[in-house]
Amino acid sequence: MTERVVIPIAERRYDAALPAVPDTPAVPVGRLLDARGRRLHDLRVSVTDRCNFRCTYCMPKSVFGADYAFLPQTSLLSFEEIVRLVRVFAAHGVEKVRLTGGEPLLRKDLERLVAMLAQLRTPAGAPLDLTLTTNGSLLARKAAALRDAGLTRLTVSLDALDDATFRAMNDVDFPVADVLAGIDAATAVGFRSIKVNVVVKRGVNDGQVVPLVRHFRGSGHVVRFIEFMDVGASNGWRLDDVVPSREVLRTIDAVFPLEPLDPNYTGEVAERWRMRDGGGEIGLISSVTEPFCTDCSRARLSTEGRLYTCLFATAGHDLRALVRGGATDAQIAGAVAHLWERRVDRYSEARSSETAGLRKIEMSYIGG
Ligand code: SAM
């Protein structure tokens, strides 16, 4: 029997017009819920829009070429500005913070930011769950400093084990051995259960699924397969290039039989499976074929301090203007609450060929 993948049809054109924030919004108390009852729990912070890779599905050379104008240094939030904003978010329910980009390890002295964020506490007095997503190219050099600064978890993107396939996908001829050395270095300094993210594109790296699982079997690290998404407006997304997670599951299960695991928490993006023979866990992130908007608790802070309430948003609210314009923490919290409480985003559930063509924000800017 052939399984049919059903892509939800748009009920309406996805529109992400921003609610206007009043000059003196009401100051919130405690945790925030959006208009669909979803908590604000995770914050992804893009610390740079630059990357040293040109992955064809994310920052294709045709758009991000030698003459591409990246943001000037003065536009970027400073570490102090980031910490101040994260402190406001943490006071209103954010418990998990992910540093991303662009390539976050390109941001100078990133470990200093990690050390500053590691000092923050939730209202209950707990440290934040502080993590980082990286392409791994600079990890061998940085792993110890990140660990010493207080980074607790790590995600490394790695689309292939085969060197030629990897070099073709990053499109800067970067060798896979250097990323593997970065993962080894991170393991050696004590990072456990590293998440290894693989974006699967049909005909490009779908043959790498089993080799990747085999390589990380028994390591304690978790390989997670991500469906190729229509983020941004420049990656030439086509539904035909998406390998549905169910297909990835069948491919792995045929070699390493799998059984399902319960989610770690509500809203976890990856569906968890484990190898029946004890070889370890894998994850499936199915944002195209099985959207998880219903539980989405993530906000994104762009490199220049705009707040986006959906990865597929077309507009974000300028929190940097508030920070640099002398707003108090209460005023910033009021603006965040005003936006979050009106949030109705559910792009992946409304995806269609029409929405895929919208001028969405690039992932390198908004933070993956
Ligand atoms: N440079 C870092 C890295 O490579 O992990 C962080 C930023 S990157 C934008 C974050 C994640 O987004 C990576 O795992 C990347 O593979 C994923 N990503 C980028 N474009 C994607 C797309 N079109 N579909 C699915 N995942 C994508």
Side-chain angles (χ1 to χ4, degrees), residues 57-58 100-103 133-135 157 199 227 229 231 235 363:
Y57 55 77
C58 186
T100 179
E103 172 46 44
T133 302
T134 172
N135 62 25
S157 304
V199 176
E227 289 176 346
M229 295 183 284
V231 284
N235 70 4
M363 200 156 173

Side-chain angles (χ1 to χ4, degrees), residues 171-184:
D171 211 12
V172 292
D173 212 28
F174 196 87
V176 73
D178 289 14
V179 177
L180 294 174
I183 295 174
D184 288 347

Side-chain angles (χ1 to χ4, degrees), residues 27-338:
V27 179
V29 180
R31 291 176 175 180
L32 303 178
L33 292 180
D34 77 3
R36 296 180 188 274
R38 299 169 295 190
R39 239 188 97 178
L40 173 53
H41 178 268
D42 294 35
L43 182 66
R44 298 196 173 185
V45 181
S46 175
V47 294
T48 175
D49 59 336
R50 290 163 199 262
C51 188
N52 52 343
F53 283 12
R54 285 293 175 272
C55 299
T56 47
Y57 55 77
C58 186
M59 294 181 74
K61 273 184 183 163
S62 53
V63 177
F64 297 90
D67 54 353
Y68 183 82
F70 288 100
L71 294 170
Q73 187 68 26
T74 49
S75 291
L76 272 52
L77 290 180
S78 68
F79 289 170
E80 287 70 20
E81 288 169 334
I82 291 173
V83 172
R84 179 169 176 215
L85 287 172
V86 172
R87 185 181 292 115
V88 170
F89 278 92
H92 295 286
V94 164
E95 294 176 4
K96 182 171 167 185
V97 173
R98 177 178 297 280
L99 301 178
T100 179
E103 172 46 44
L105 297 187
L106 289 181
R107 179 86 186 247
K108 196 163 173 283
D109 299 330
L110 189 78
E111 53 278 16
R112 192 166 70 79
L113 174 64
V114 170
M116 291 161 80
L117 292 172
Q119 301 302 314
L120 299 183
R121 294 290 177 268
T122 66
L128 297 173
D129 176 2
L130 193 54
T131 182
L132 171 102
T133 302
T134 172
N135 62 25
S137 59
L138 301 170
L139 192 54
R141 259 183 269 166
K142 292 271 191 176
L146 292 167
R147 185 78 206 175
D148 292 347
L151 191 72
T152 44
R153 295 191 303 111
L154 200 53
T155 299
V156 180
S157 304
L158 175 64
D159 295 329
L161 266 190
D162 173 68
D163 193 50
T165 308
F166 186 70
R167 287 176 192 254
M169 286 186 84
N170 65 55
D171 211 12
V172 292
D173 212 28
F174 196 87
V176 73
D178 289 14
V179 177
L180 294 174
I183 295 174
D184 288 347
T187 310
V189 300
F191 284 100
R192 297 284 167 259
S193 297
I194 295 173
K195 288 176 182 156
V196 178
N197 276 0
V198 185
V199 176
V200 189
K201 265 192 93 174
R202 188 172 304 285
V204 178
N205 65 337
D206 41 355
Q208 291 294 298
V209 169
V210 170
L212 280 160
V213 173
R214 184 175 288 120
H215 181 86
F216 288 102
R217 261 169 73 76
S219 67
H221 303 327
V222 181
V223 186
R224 309 190 315 165
F225 298 94
I226 306 177
E227 289 176 346
F228 172 43
M229 295 183 284
D230 54 330
V231 284
S234 61
N235 70 4
W237 185 83
R238 293 181 326 143
L239 184 54
D240 289 352
D241 295 331
V242 178
V243 180
S245 290
R246 293 303 115 196
E247 194 178 316
V248 172
L249 185 68
R250 278 198 302 273
T251 303
I252 302 171
D253 187 58
V255 183
F256 302 114
L258 297 168
E259 61 191 8
L261 282 171
D262 288 335
N264 284 314
Y265 57 90
T266 307
E268 188 172 30
V269 294
E271 187 180 296
R272 302 172 63 215
W273 292 78
R274 83 172 152 219
M275 289 173 245
R276 287 180 189 268
D277 67 359
E281 183 177 331
I282 63 124
L284 300 171
I285 302 178
S286 323
S287 69
V288 177
T289 61
E290 294 167 51
F292 34 80
C293 305
T294 314
D295 292 325
C296 180
S297 55
R298 282 172 292 286
R300 289 178 156 82
L301 190 59
S302 77
T303 316
E304 54 181 346
R306 287 183 177 272
L307 177 66
Y308 290 86
T309 55
C310 177
L311 175 58
F312 300 92
T314 51
H317 187 79
D318 190 359
L319 294 185
R320 189 189 64 183
L322 293 178
V323 171
R324 296 192 182 170
T328 63
D329 284 2
Q331 285 167 326
I332 296 170
V336 171
H338 189 87

